[in-house]
Amino acid sequence: MTKSPALYRVILLVWAALFGLALLTTAGSLSREITQRPVAGVLALVTLLSIGYFWLNGIKDVLYTAWYYLVMRGRIRPVRRRELHRHPPRVVMVYCTRNDFNANSLAASMKQRYTNVHTVILDDSDKPEYLTMIDIFAATHDVQVVRRENHVGFKAGNLNNYLTGADYDYFVILDSDEIIPPRFIRRMLDYFASDRSIGIVQATHVATRNVTRFQQKFSLGVDSHWPVYQSVKNRYGFLSLLGHGAMVSKQAFDAAGGFPLMVAEDLCFSLAVREHGYTTVFAPDVTCQEEFPVDYLAFRKRHSKWTQGNMEFIRKNTRPIMTSRQLHWYEKLDIVLFTYALPLTAVFSVFVVINVVVLPMMHASLQFPLWMLIPTVAFLVAPMVNDVVFHWAKMAHTKLLSYSGGSMMLYGSMYFTSLRSSLKSMFGNSVFLVTPKDSTAISFREALRSTRSELIFAGVLAVISLVFTRSVFPVFLLVLPAMVAPYLMVRHQPTRAELHERQRGKVLQAA
């Protein structure tokens, strides 16, 4: 598929008009501030630029959704089906696991309507119960198990350990909770046959097996994100392998030199593949199933992994991205707006310090035009626009409103996690964290203990704001979600019936 810069031209045009108006209406006050108090003036300019970047992200979220529904929907045409050659390609399904083996998911994924395929379990587990469970499954289903002596390189190292010397034409990546449809391989081969430059085909996903209340409440975002954002990226941005539910050609794997040994191995691999002339495409008609994190703690752990992975990506790939001759300018901008968002929490903290501590200490007060509050508030809720539009006709509006408000609190409460993870990765090593698949009922006291870092952060931030600005309002949107974190944890914790159902599933798998 030929990519187009049309969407990002519109995004930049809208942003330039809006931010240009902001510059015009603040130019006089900024000029006076810089002339009379240079330091305060420069800090004011930094604040305005920060607002401009925030607006750019918000415009991107709004126009991504609008573009899909107004321009793309109804015009997306999956590739046509093709006849297989006399000698069908050799395909291997690689199932990655580390103490989170799910026999039911793997057994369901293995029911492929394709003959020249075999399955390999890449097992990095170190818990005896999982080692035993995997060995029993492998013996029962005639599946190969590959284990390595060291766990260097996280998931990337696990994949490279097997794929580098294996005999295959294509491989399918399965995460522990992944379920791919029976025609997955057959349909993916149609995409590869449509264009020789394709190196990766990424399928879409829906969230299923939502047993816990946390999953039932917040998994709606999975169903709306995949078809909309990935379809738009496929045509107008940088589409990346998203870690699972995808097929990769051996030619692309060999050209890239395997998976980079990084936490965000999927994103880094996609970039390496692209630099060697291969592309990643989206298959909207191939729907896989995944599980949403079971509870608040699992969600927080996954969020930390994503943040660390993206920060590591920024540190090691910013220069290659900016100097790349393979990537179009709008693909580079797409990578920046999507990938840099989580780690830039640390940079946003500088914005908070400037406006809550430094400027008040200087007895300087920034007076921006009142109209600028309107787009700022609008873009604050911009990430929820796609969810609302997607589910508007499919569910009760009161439930959708509850989901939207809860999601804003949930993601808002991740600010401290993003900050801590960003700093950890910035000044240390990023760590690949496996999202827990089990959940336990906890008391409110235990929830307070589990979120004490968020609560302390919120309390300190509120006190600092009170001391320097005599108000909590400047940091209210950071303090409130953090204070709500214990409630989110307890309110959506699994019931006894849910815990029993998950335990029953584990027993059946072990059997």
Side-chain angles (χ1 to χ4, degrees):
M1 175 183 288
T2 303
K3 288 187 176 290
S4 167
L7 173 57
Y8 268 100
R9 284 175 179 168
V10 175
I11 289 174
L12 289 178
L13 182 62
V14 173
W15 176 80
L18 186 61
F19 190 60
L21 181 60
L23 287 174
L24 285 175
T25 54
T26 58
S29 58
L30 278 175
S31 178
R32 286 192 300 272
E33 198 70 44
I34 291 174
T35 302
Q36 298 171 7
R37 292 184 296 182
V39 175
V42 170
L43 294 179
L45 181 59
V46 171
T47 297
L48 183 61
L49 292 175
S50 299
I51 293 173
Y53 176 76
F54 175 72
W55 284 359
L56 181 58
N57 265 294
I59 292 170
K60 173 262 296 178
D61 286 323
V62 172
L63 288 184
Y64 246 72
T65 301
W67 200 272
Y68 175 80
Y69 287 101
L70 298 178
V71 178
M72 297 188 65
R73 190 173 63 166
R75 300 181 182 179
I76 299 175
R77 296 289 183 266
V79 302
R80 65 180 180 85
R81 300 185 183 278
R82 300 167 183 265
E83 294 295 327
L84 283 175
H85 295 296
R86 182 177 301 177
H87 302 290
R90 297 161 297 177
V91 179
V92 57
M93 298 199 302
V94 289
Y95 177 93
C96 303
T97 179
R98 178 175 170 81
N99 301 325
D100 59 353
F101 180 69
N102 188 316
N104 293 335
S105 295
L106 180 54
S109 294
M110 290 171 59
K111 297 177 181 179
Q112 291 295 303
R113 297 173 185 171
Y114 187 79
T115 55
N116 196 8
V117 57
H118 69 280
T119 303
V120 179
I121 299 176
L122 306 183
D123 182 27
D124 266 359
S125 302
D126 54 15
K127 293 183 178 180
E129 61 268 30
Y130 284 101
L131 295 172
T132 300
M133 192 186 305
I134 290 170
D135 288 340
I136 293 175
F137 182 93
T140 304
H141 294 82
D142 191 25
V143 171
Q144 180 184 359
V145 179
V146 175
R147 296 185 173 108
R148 50 187 182 143
E149 295 182 359
N150 61 65
H151 296 161
V152 174
F154 314 117
K155 181 180 177 179
N158 194 12
L159 288 165
N160 291 342
N161 179 63
Y162 170 75
L163 292 171
T164 300
D167 183 22
Y168 60 91
D169 297 306
Y170 301 91
F171 64 90
V172 179
I173 304 176
L174 303 175
D175 273 359
S176 63
D177 59 349
E178 180 85 16
I179 297 179
I180 61 175
R183 291 188 61 83
F184 180 92
I185 294 176
R186 181 65 187 84
R187 190 71 182 107
M188 289 301 203
L189 289 173
D190 291 336
Y191 280 84
F192 282 106
S194 69
D195 188 339
R196 292 183 179 180
S197 69
I198 294 175
I200 304 170
V201 182
Q202 174 67 63
T204 190
H205 286 72
V206 293
T208 60
R209 294 154 290 168
N210 298 315
V211 177
T212 70
R213 283 184 291 184
F214 187 86
Q215 292 173 317
Q216 294 166 358
K217 175 79 171 183
F218 298 111
S219 64
L220 296 176
V222 173
D223 300 350
S224 56
H225 175 86
W226 279 87
V228 176
Y229 275 81
Q230 304 313 315
S231 293
V232 178
K233 278 178 165 289
N234 190 48
R235 181 77 171 89
Y236 301 99
F238 179 79
L239 183 70
S240 167
L241 164 68
L242 292 174
H244 59 287
M247 183 181 283
V248 183
S249 73
K250 188 177 191 301
Q251 291 179 332
F253 177 82
D254 290 341
F259 286 89
L261 301 183
M262 298 172 68
V263 172
E265 85 293 329
D266 48 2
L267 178 59
C268 300
F269 179 70
S270 302
L271 185 62
V273 164
R274 182 60 191 281
E275 287 300 308
H276 287 83
Y278 292 93
T279 60
T280 302
V281 299
F282 183 56
D285 60 322
V286 182
T287 303
C288 305
Q289 302 176 45
E290 63 175 305
E291 284 190 7
F292 196 76
V294 292
D295 57 21
Y296 184 91
L297 292 176
F299 182 89
R300 186 173 65 180
K301 197 165 189 177
R302 188 185 71 170
H303 190 85
S304 176
K305 185 195 81 169
W306 284 357
T307 305
Q308 291 185 60
N310 286 4
M311 177 58 79
E312 184 183 34
F313 175 82
I314 290 173
R315 287 194 290 109
K316 297 186 177 182
N317 289 286
T318 295
R319 183 185 293 275
I321 290 172
M322 297 308 161
T323 58
S324 171
R325 295 184 178 180
Q326 289 286 343
L327 294 171
H328 300 295
W329 66 266
Y330 51 92
E331 291 180 281
K332 297 177 182 180
L333 181 56
D334 193 68
I335 293 173
V336 170
L337 292 182
F338 278 95
T339 308
Y340 287 39
L342 287 179
L344 281 179
T345 301
V347 179
F348 177 71
S349 300
V350 176
F351 169 83
V352 174
V353 171
I354 289 174
N355 289 274
V356 177
V357 178
V358 179
L359 289 175
M361 287 180 64
M362 299 175 63
H363 302 290
S365 177
L366 300 182
Q367 299 295 329
F368 290 114
L370 186 60
W371 72 265
M372 289 179 59
L373 187 62
I374 298 175
T376 301
V377 173
F379 295 143
L380 184 67
V381 299
M384 302 303 305
V385 170
N386 179 52
D387 292 345
V388 172
V389 174
F390 186 88
H391 293 288
W392 184 259
K394 303 177 183 179
M395 59 188 298
H397 295 169
T398 53
K399 183 179 179 182
L400 183 57
L401 179 62
S402 174
Y403 160 76
S404 300
S407 291
M408 290 184 67
M409 290 297 103
L410 174 63
Y411 285 94
S413 70
M414 293 293 117
Y415 179 83
F416 179 74
T417 297
S418 297
L419 175 59
R420 179 171 55 188
S421 300
S422 296
L423 294 175
K424 179 179 179 181
S425 179
M426 189 182 300
F427 299 107
N429 295 320
S430 298
V431 178
F432 189 101
L433 302 173
V434 177
T435 304
K437 299 300 187 292
D438 296 321
S439 181
T440 58
I442 61 174
S443 65
F444 189 72
R445 177 179 295 181
E446 292 171 324
L448 290 173
R449 187 182 305 115
S450 298
T451 58
R452 60 183 178 274
S453 297
E454 285 84 354
L455 296 175
I456 292 172
F457 169 78
V460 171
L461 193 59
V463 169
I464 291 175
S465 184
L466 280 171
V467 169
F468 290 99
T469 69
R470 299 182 181 181
S471 172
V472 183
F473 182 75
V475 294
F476 179 74
L477 293 178
L478 297 178
V479 171
L480 179 61
M483 299 298 291
V484 173
Y487 168 78
L488 290 172
M489 187 177 296
V490 174
R491 174 67 179 83
H492 301 292
Q493 68 175 311
T495 63
R496 290 183 178 180
E498 292 167 353
L499 291 173
H500 175 73
E501 182 65 23
R502 292 190 71 85
Q503 185 61 34
R504 179 174 175 272
K506 291 182 66 176
V507 171
L508 290 175
Q509 289 186 61

